[in-house]
Amino acid sequence: DARTALSLLELAISAPPSTNEENLMKNLRKSVIARYDRTGDDHYDMISALHKSVRGSDGSAAMYWLARMLTAGEDPLYVARRCIVMASEDIGLANDRALPLAVATYQACQIIGMPECRINLAHLVAYLSESPKSTRSYEAYDRAEEAAKEDPAVPVPLNICNAPTGLMKELGYGRGYLYNPSYAHPVHNDFLPLQYKQQRFLRPEGDLEGKVWDEDLLKQWEYMDNDGKDWAGRPKVEKTE
């Protein structure tokens, strides 16, 4: 920020004229690192950069931002906690092993500490970056939460209400519920309130509703990040005779 820039300028001006320029630059860089504020803008900007790099499957960039944070003195547990969030928010249902590894890495950081736990974090960040990505569960909760806030007084359908007493059973609590494990085939139950009966909060795998197709951005990615090759997910175009 401006304060850091002014401080560095003051250091440069106050340096003796005979100071070697290369050594001066090294000292200025060290000063910048020493000024990393774990509660300031750098803290939030760099964890944001790490998170976005993982989300974008750029392992090299993610590793760089991890190293920047750790060498500046960031708490490894803070990074590990954020990675636990990434494991569910960005990788999610595409790789169920991501979350257990993230939790195990957090525990490893607690047990081992720095500098050795940097190896555990590097392992995790590389794994998360290279994992397939899915936001289905995260987005499903957001849709369900929006519906829940619309009307928090919507009653539970009677057929799936608990009926611990005879009176409740007489009133229809639990009536019509089909116990799924009792059947050798699927059976239908109404699990949602009537007004949300047709709502699909958790959408099926591969559902692209609401997703944007931008041909120019795809071509840019193919050129910049995929060695000019077509993306494997491009629709197949049948050749005509």
Side-chain angles (χ1 to χ4, degrees):
D1 59 13
R3 290 172 300 176
T4 300
L6 288 173
S7 297
L8 293 176
L9 179 61
E10 184 180 355
L11 286 172
I13 292 173
S14 62
S18 59
T19 302
N20 179 275
E21 183 177 340
E22 185 177 346
N23 289 336
L24 176 61
M25 292 303 296
K26 285 181 179 178
N27 288 329
L28 289 177
R29 290 192 189 99
K30 287 180 181 178
S31 179
V32 170
I33 292 174
R35 291 171 187 273
Y36 177 86
D37 183 358
R38 296 199 325 195
T39 62
D41 289 343
D42 282 348
H43 168 81
Y44 294 107
D45 287 344
M46 287 192 193
I47 196 65
S48 176
L50 172 61
H51 193 156
K52 289 179 172 67
S53 299
V54 168
R55 180 182 294 147
S57 299
D58 191 329
S60 292
M63 204 63 67
Y64 171 77
W65 294 116
L66 173 66
R68 279 287 302 274
M69 296 183 78
L70 294 181
T71 55
E74 183 57 78
D75 180 4
L77 292 177
Y78 170 73
V79 180
R81 283 194 298 271
R82 187 63 175 261
C83 286
I84 292 174
V85 175
M86 296 179 209
S88 287
E89 180 181 339
D90 299 291
I91 288 80
L93 296 172
N95 183 356
D96 290 333
R97 291 175 291 183
L99 182 56
L101 178 61
V103 173
T105 301
Y106 181 86
Q107 293 172 334
C109 290
Q110 285 181 310
I111 296 168
I112 298 171
M114 285 291 283
E116 287 84 357
C117 75
R118 77 192 190 284
I119 302 168
N120 306 109
L121 284 168
H123 174 187
L124 175 62
V125 165
Y127 186 84
L128 296 179
S129 298
E130 295 186 350
S131 286
K133 308 297 190 292
S134 171
T135 56
R136 281 203 304 135
S137 58
Y138 173 52
E139 291 174 355
Y141 179 80
D142 283 349
R143 285 188 284 269
E145 182 180 64
E146 184 179 353
K149 288 179 177 178
E150 281 179 1
D151 187 352
V154 175
V156 177
L158 275 179
N159 66 302
I160 55 172
C161 282
N162 188 33
T165 68
L167 176 59
M168 287 181 170
K169 289 177 182 177
E170 289 177 12
L171 292 174
Y173 282 59
R175 184 179 301 159
Y177 170 67
L178 302 175
Y179 183 64
N180 298 75
S182 294
Y183 297 87
H185 53 77
V187 293
H188 174 74
N189 282 294
D190 287 324
F191 294 115
L192 281 169
L194 186 61
Q195 56 266 57
Y196 299 119
K197 198 171 178 181
Q198 303 304 318
Q199 181 67 267
R200 299 198 76 170
F201 299 114
L202 179 59
R203 293 177 180 168
E205 186 176 359
D207 180 82
L208 297 178
E209 183 180 345
K211 305 297 182 183
V212 176
W213 183 284
D214 190 311
E215 185 67 21
D216 291 336
L217 289 178
L218 176 56
K219 286 180 177 178
Q220 181 189 46
W221 176 84
E222 289 171 337
Y223 176 75
M224 298 291 292
D225 300 307
N226 205 42
D227 297 325
K229 300 174 185 175
D230 284 352
W231 174 47
R234 273 190 176 279
K236 301 290 188 230
V237 179
E238 294 185 6
K239 293 181 179 179
T240 56
E241 294 295 336

